[in-house]
Amino acid sequence: GMESKIRNSSRNDFVKKERAVEYLDHEVFIAVKQLNINVLETEALSRSTPGSPDYRQWMSMDEVNAIRGNDVGTESIRSWLVANGVDVTWTSVAGTYMKARTTIGHWERLLHTTFHMYEDQKEDQHRRQLPRAESYSLPASIREHVHAFFEVSELPPRMTGVANMRKNTVEVMPDDVGGVSAKSGARSLVSSDCNGQSTIACLNEVYAVESNIGK
């Protein structure tokens, strides 16, 4: 069966245009749901807190991958893609990310959706167009293993003044499964709490985080 649709939000900086050409190839970036994130958060805090017995006893990438790896999820998604004639073009070492390519028309059938071209209205982007869907559905067989299907319905985050990093805006992306657009209410990097340094107070303000405590 199919799960409920994942929808994007409307954006005034991208204009929906004509249907995407169905025979064009389109590559999707897939994030597999990682396991034991709470364990890794605890380990990271312990190993970065002065006075902790684990302070600066950093874990290797292999150790991190052993904790967060989701082999069942990775294989379930890969098998579903291959069984449906999709080319898996790349898989990360830990199996937590993969890229998959097939035609627009095939993605439309697999994800029960329709792709249109969305035209970027920002002058510095030369009216680039991206194929995106308003919503899509994932089969129940893989839905529990998917953190996000990117390059399907989400649009690039709003950025301004890219020539000057201190004029950029940063948006908070939702943590739930993919296909959702960036939240509004971007926060400027220019802050009285920053003063050119990445302090806890600065990061909390930039990313609108209230639960992050520490020195």
Side-chain angles (χ1 to χ4, degrees), residues 16-86:
K16 181 179 177 181
K17 308 290 279 190
E18 68 279 357
R19 281 283 301 271
V21 178
E22 65 175 359
Y23 59 77
L24 292 180
D25 279 350
H26 182 60
E27 189 169 64
V28 167
F29 185 89
I30 301 166
V32 182
K33 187 170 290 184
Q34 299 179 33
L35 306 179
N36 304 312
I37 297 301
N38 59 328
V39 174
L40 287 176
E41 288 175 345
T42 300
E43 291 285 353
L45 184 61
S46 174
R47 293 162 193 268
S48 58
T49 302
S52 165
D54 293 325
Y55 184 53
R56 292 186 174 176
Q57 300 298 310
W58 307 119
M59 302 171 70
S60 69
M61 184 57 70
D62 287 342
E63 290 174 316
V64 172
N65 290 341
I67 294 174
R68 68 172 179 160
N70 181 3
D71 293 343
V72 172
T74 299
E75 182 54 30
S76 295
I77 297 169
R78 191 200 66 80
S79 296
W80 177 76
L81 292 168
V82 172
N84 283 283
V86 178

Side-chain angles (χ1 to χ4, degrees), residues 87-145:
D87 184 18
V88 178
T89 57
W90 171 83
T91 303
S92 66
V93 173
T96 48
Y97 301 100
M98 62 181 71
K99 294 179 181 179
R101 180 183 293 273
T102 189
T103 63
I104 289 286
H106 198 189
W107 281 128
E108 289 182 334
R109 291 184 289 274
L110 290 178
L111 302 178
H112 292 250
T113 191
T114 301
F115 279 84
H116 284 77
M117 301 307 295
Y118 282 76
E119 186 177 79
D120 195 336
Q121 299 303 294
K122 295 186 291 296
E123 293 182 3
D124 60 339
Q125 296 298 333
H126 306 291
R127 293 290 189 263
R128 64 173 173 170
Q129 293 193 356
L130 304 174
R132 292 294 186 271
E134 289 187 354
S135 65
Y136 66 94
S137 299
L138 294 173
S141 61
I142 66 168
R143 177 63 176 78
E144 65 178 303
H145 301 301

